[in-house]
Amino acid sequence: MTVTCSEHPASLQGRPAMRRKVADAAALAAGYVALAMIAVPTIWVVAGVLQRAVPGWSWGVLTHTGAAGAGGLENEILGSLVLTAGTLVLAGGVGVLAGIYLAEYATGPAGAVLRGASEVLAGIPSIVLGYVGYLALVVALHWSFSLAAGLVTLAVMTVPYVMKSTEVALRQVPSAYREGAEALGFSPLQALRRISLRTALPGIVTGILVALAISVGETAPLLYTAGFTSANPSAALVHRPIAFLTYAIWTFYNQPSKSAVQLSFDAALILLVIVLLLIVVGRVIVSLSERHAETR
Amino acid sequence: MQRVTGGVAVIPMLALLFIIAVLLAQAWPAILLNGGGFFTHTSFDLGNTYGAIVNTHGVRHPQGASYGVLGWALGTVESSAIALVLAVPVSVFAALAISERLPAYLGRVVGLFLGTLAGIPSVIIGLWGALTIGPLLAHRVYPLLAHLAPKVPVLSFFTGGTGNGQGLLTSGIVLGVMIIPIVASTTRDLVHSVPKLPKEGGEALGMTDWEVARRVTLRWVGPGIVGASVLGLARALGETMAVAMVSGVVLSGSPGSIFAPITTIAATIVTQLDSAFTDTSGFAVSSLAEAGLVLVLITLAVNVAGRLLVRRVASTALPVGRGV
């Protein structure tokens, strides 16, 4: 096919064809280099943890408590699971309800303000959240380093993620579904519960899983709210500190003793497994529900 | 239902206001006593915490306490700037490749990588930075860079001792890796939102793929990409754990070389809060609150600016937080 150049944009006219081809090839190469620069660090980080954790791995770290870089990680693992479960309840509950409001009821500027505030809250540096949590919950409310202080701080941090994904998922429900429900005589609440929420469920669950992955991997908000202890978590909400996995990574990685560094990487490995599991389950849910939606 | 959910939806806004109010109240004594000097010098000096607590202008503090945020703020801005320089080109080219070149399934694979990278905890990226990539760069790459850089003004910033890998450049590189997911996935969604017709028009005119990308696609979503970069910047400015592990956390002054150790506001707060508790007058904690307030105001302004820019182009591409 021959193309006459008379219709080209003025700035392209007269540029030698060779130079344009070279620029095109260079851009393509830059694209592949860029993709490599996303994949390589991701694989490298994960492989680095595996490489340092696996050779010295002992299953005993799962079943022994410890502190100060010796013993096991049972207290940290259980603590992280308790904190994550708490986040699920607190951030999940608040985030889903708030997301429902934004998608179904909020109209005009009020919705925009609430949505903006939530998005901005997600941008507050995590150490600042931890610091405010320390000042307000640990000191002012006399909760001490405790499960409750850590939980509330984590929930404040992760609510925006749940809220956003709930809102987006509900907005993607086709309006024909709602109209159909209305035509069948459903009350608005019934339509929301039995049609909209059910259709949006995969998106909502995925958002919650992301929030959980983030909360289990956080360090800064917990250092000065949850504290640390060598004991396993108890039922006490306040006045009792609680251990968490990232504390072990952050505190043990540069200690002189070999066992401490090993524990640090053991904790990193366990944490990576949890986080990757949450992300993968989220992805699977999304792709399954997409396939389901296509065949419907 | 509307009332219940509406009441709950206000919680994030209340939390945001509460955070700023607590910081402001806690920082108030420090704002009064540190004055303008807080922004014009660099210092983290608790003063004589064993001596008597003195009272100046109604603020109780140890004799000789002095705080200045300048160097920490410079370290924050410089390391984030390096991160942007690295992350933005990678993100833009990757986004173009994903949506214009790759088949859909490969695009999903790259998306999986972006999601994973965004989800990897900051403290684990910090481990990689402190024990793997930092030392490697310091021994293999930085000496070469320092050797090649000419000893002329400005460029001499790239010369000097290359240290052990704890410093400004390593912090910038690690931050760059950490903000790629939010910048790249936002840019990808923006590029996806460009309508087909103008692109096909460009092709019909005989433009190469790169010319279509540069003159049609990127022009179409330009402000949005600036916004995505600004959101990445906000992320980098507030990043805490990874930077605390690779910056060296040197509390005095700004670096004379790109390889020298630095600190950022967030890294200073997380590493110095323990020692601040030893000041029984509470003035050290208050001064760190003032530093935190400075950080929050910077990240808030940057974050809001980024959101407005992205929203101008497409509201569907707006990410939350880390952009998972």
Side-chain angles (χ1 to χ4, degrees):
Chain A
M1 184 181 74
T2 47
V3 179
T4 50
C5 284
S6 60
E7 293 301 311
H8 273 175
S11 53
L12 284 179
Q13 241 171 29
R15 286 186 72 188
M18 193 61 200
R19 245 179 74 188
R20 293 175 51 204
K21 270 185 194 154
V22 169
D24 193 47
L28 184 60
Y32 287 127
V33 170
L35 293 178
M37 287 184 70
I38 291 170
V40 169
T42 313
I43 296 170
W44 198 352
V45 169
V46 174
V49 170
L50 285 173
Q51 188 196 345
R52 287 180 193 245
V54 170
W57 174 263
S58 110
W59 292 99
V61 297
L62 301 180
T63 51
H64 292 80
T65 62
L73 295 165
E74 192 190 9
N75 47 329
E76 285 94 341
I77 296 168
L78 292 178
S80 274
L81 291 181
V82 169
L83 281 163
T84 308
T87 310
L88 172 66
V89 175
L90 220 57
V94 171
V96 169
L97 286 177
I100 291 175
Y101 180 78
L102 287 188
E104 303 284 324
Y105 305 112
T107 45
V113 167
L114 292 178
R115 190 175 302 117
S118 161
E119 287 171 1
V120 167
L121 178 65
I124 297 266
S126 58
I127 179 61
V128 171
L129 290 181
Y131 189 55
V132 170
Y134 169 77
L135 293 171
L137 308 174
V138 175
V139 177
L141 287 181
H142 303 292
W143 284 1
S144 311
F145 288 143
S146 59
L147 172 60
L151 253 187
V152 171
T153 311
L154 275 185
V156 165
M157 209 190 86
T158 48
V159 158
Y161 293 89
V162 184
M163 197 164 156
K164 173 88 177 185
S165 59
T166 304
E167 187 196 352
V168 169
L170 278 173
R171 279 187 191 282
Q172 279 167 354
V173 175
S175 51
Y177 287 21
R178 272 165 240 230
E179 286 158 12
E182 204 176 323
L184 288 172
F186 280 39
S187 76
L189 193 58
Q190 273 176 323
L192 175 67
R193 209 161 53 86
R194 299 181 56 177
I195 306 294
S196 300
L197 278 180
R198 195 159 290 182
T199 317
L201 195 61
I204 297 174
V205 171
T206 305
I208 292 176
L209 290 177
V210 165
L212 293 185
I214 287 171
S215 77
V216 77
E218 271 301 335
T219 320
L222 291 175
L223 283 174
Y224 298 102
T225 54
F228 184 75
T229 170
S230 58
N232 279 335
S234 67
L237 269 181
V238 292
H239 303 306
R240 282 279 300 275
I242 182 164
F244 50 96
L245 276 168
T246 47
Y247 176 94
I249 304 175
W250 158 247
T251 324
F252 301 158
Y253 86 98
N254 56 0
Q255 282 186 6
S257 93
K258 254 189 161 174
S259 71
V261 178
Q262 175 69 41
L263 270 188
S264 176
F265 278 94
D266 288 348
L269 179 60
I270 297 167
L271 186 59
L272 260 187
V273 169
I274 298 176
V275 168
L276 292 182
L277 258 179
L278 288 167
I279 293 176
V280 167
V281 170
R283 293 267 158 175
V284 168
I285 292 177
V286 167
S287 65
L288 280 184
S289 67
E290 269 168 8
R291 203 165 299 163
H292 184 65
E294 274 160 23
T295 56
R296 190 151 45 195
Chain B
M1 197 64 186
Q2 179 169 5
R3 241 189 249 153
V4 176
T5 55
V8 173
V10 182
I11 289 178
M13 191 172 71
L14 293 181
L16 187 64
L17 295 175
F18 179 76
I19 288 164
I20 293 171
V22 168
L23 275 182
L24 201 58
Q26 187 71 27
W28 191 246
I31 293 172
L32 286 181
L33 195 61
N34 289 329
F38 190 67
F39 302 100
T40 54
H41 82 297
T42 309
S43 166
F44 184 81
D45 186 353
L46 296 176
N48 180 8
T49 48
Y50 299 105
I53 302 289
V54 294
N55 196 321
T56 313
H57 311 309
V59 178
R60 284 157 40 81
H61 64 95
Q63 190 77 46
S66 160
Y67 299 94
V69 81
L70 179 65
W72 316 345
L74 280 177
T76 310
V77 172
E78 287 167 351
S79 56
S80 300
I82 294 174
L84 269 193
V85 168
L86 295 175
V88 170
V90 169
S91 302
V92 171
F93 277 108
L96 286 174
I98 294 169
S99 57
E100 315 270 318
R101 299 277 192 172
L102 295 185
Y105 75 95
L106 275 182
R108 271 202 290 276
V109 171
V110 179
L112 191 63
F113 272 106
L114 285 176
T116 308
L117 191 55
I120 292 179
S122 152
V123 71
I124 290 183
I125 305 258
L127 278 183
W128 176 70
L131 302 180
T132 306
I133 188 89
L136 184 78
L137 290 171
H139 294 138
R140 299 288 161 103
V141 182
Y142 294 173
L144 201 68
L145 202 60
H147 183 71
L148 288 177
K151 292 214 179 331
V152 294
V154 183
L155 283 183
S156 65
F157 192 59
F158 292 89
T159 63
T162 52
N164 60 356
Q166 301 255 311
L168 175 55
L169 187 51
T170 312
S171 306
I173 290 171
V174 167
L175 281 175
V177 169
M178 298 184 74
I179 64 171
I180 282 176
I182 186 170
V183 185
S185 56
T186 310
T187 307
R188 176 197 57 195
D189 295 350
L190 286 168
V191 169
H192 267 312
S193 74
V194 177
K196 262 215 172 91
L197 270 180
K199 288 196 249 181
E200 284 172 355
E203 268 170 51
L205 288 175
M207 288 182 171
T208 62
D209 285 353
W210 166 238
E211 282 160 356
V212 171
R214 197 161 67 95
R215 285 161 194 272
V216 180
T217 310
L218 290 185
R219 188 105 0 135
W220 198 280
V221 291
I225 292 178
V226 175
S229 312
V230 172
L231 287 178
L233 175 64
R235 204 73 223 158
L237 291 169
E239 181 45 52
T240 312
M241 301 314 292
V243 182
M245 293 163 88
V246 300
S247 66
V249 194
V250 165
L251 297 176
S252 53
S254 55
S257 144
I258 198 165
F259 308 112
I262 55 153
T263 192
T264 66
I265 298 179
T268 304
I269 296 175
V270 77
T271 53
Q272 302 310 310
L273 201 50
D274 264 330
S275 64
F277 293 155
T278 60
D279 176 356
T280 50
S281 69
F283 187 65
V285 173
S286 176
S287 292
L288 284 184
E290 189 177 358
L293 192 62
V294 171
L295 178 63
V296 164
L297 293 182
I298 296 174
T299 48
L300 271 190
V302 171
N303 210 327
V304 170
R307 288 187 181 278
L308 292 178
L309 280 169
V310 176
R311 190 163 280 155
R312 256 179 56 184
V313 179
S315 62
T316 48
L318 256 187
V320 157
R322 289 199 233 169
V324 187

